[in-house]
Amino acid sequence: MIFSSAFSRRAKLERTSVVLVALCLATSAAVPQTAKAPQEKAAQQEPSGLPSLPQSPIEIAEKNGTALRMTLTDLTKLALQNNLDIAISDTNEELYSQKIRQAYGPYDPVLTITPGVQTRRQPNTRRDNAATGGDPFNQTKLLTWNFRYEQSVPTGGTFTAQMNSNRSDTNQAFALFN
């Protein structure tokens, strides 16, 4: 007897569930399919009998277009690109490398070249330094080429090499070298 009552209850439940499934299919086929708003879809997905939840401020902002969903990686990249402190640090790095170069600046070599041309004319006032060819003026031409190389040494000294070159030409009659 117990077996037959349990079996009959199960059969009733199966018939009831078959009837409910058929009714659901019939009603869904009878309702015309239309485009539904996302809020209606969300309301339909909720179990019946419970009130629908209000939208969060984030959902409202996304709907209005004032919010943007981003991954953590995108957010980090955007923050690093727009960070003024990082941009200043990049500039400071270049500045510090220039300061290091400047610190070694006194040890840069210096090459100085000094050319010079000079002409002097003086009237003949004495016989011992008179000009040749009856010229009333003594004329002296001087050509100068001076070279100087200077290098500071990090230990505190200075290395200097220089060469001075002078050439003169005169029209005096008693000059030993011309």
Side-chain angles (χ1 to χ4, degrees):
M1 281 289 205
I2 296 174
F3 178 69
S4 65
S5 69
F7 181 75
S8 65
R9 283 186 201 159
R10 186 172 177 190
K12 284 182 185 178
L13 282 175
E14 285 180 1
R15 278 188 249 141
T16 309
S17 59
V18 168
V19 170
L20 284 175
V21 169
L23 280 173
C24 288
L25 288 174
T27 55
S28 66
V31 176
Q33 296 294 328
T34 58
K36 297 176 183 171
Q39 293 135 352
E40 291 176 6
K41 289 181 183 178
Q44 286 181 355
Q45 291 175 357
E46 293 179 10
S48 62
L50 295 176
S52 63
L53 297 174
Q55 288 185 336
S56 70
I58 296 172
E59 292 172 335
I60 294 170
E62 284 178 347
K63 182 180 175 186
N64 295 340
T66 56
L68 178 66
R69 284 201 183 264
M70 299 179 82
T71 64
L72 184 60
T73 305
D74 294 337
L75 184 64
T76 305
K77 284 181 184 177
L78 187 63
L80 291 175
Q81 287 173 351
N82 295 327
N83 191 336
L84 188 58
D85 291 336
I86 293 174
I88 290 172
S89 295
D90 289 344
T91 306
N92 286 344
E93 182 179 336
E94 293 172 16
L95 179 67
Y96 292 140
S97 69
Q98 290 296 330
K99 285 185 177 184
I100 290 171
R101 287 185 192 141
Q102 182 183 8
Y104 286 104
Y107 303 112
D108 290 342
V110 177
L111 178 65
T112 307
I113 301 171
T114 311
V117 176
Q118 185 178 21
T119 303
R120 277 187 280 174
R121 288 180 56 141
Q122 295 177 336
N124 288 331
T125 55
R126 298 182 355 202
R127 282 195 177 270
D128 62 340
N129 64 358
T132 58
D135 191 5
F137 291 99
N138 285 335
Q139 188 170 356
T140 305
K141 294 179 182 177
L142 182 63
L143 179 63
T144 306
W145 286 93
N146 296 334
F147 297 95
R148 180 181 176 101
Y149 176 83
E150 189 172 356
Q151 169 77 50
S152 295
V153 182
T155 57
T158 303
F159 171 75
T160 304
Q162 71 181 45
M163 181 185 93
N164 295 330
S165 171
N166 296 322
R167 179 181 174 168
S168 64
D169 185 21
T170 185
N171 65 352
Q172 292 180 356
F174 297 109
L176 295 176
F177 294 104
N178 190 4

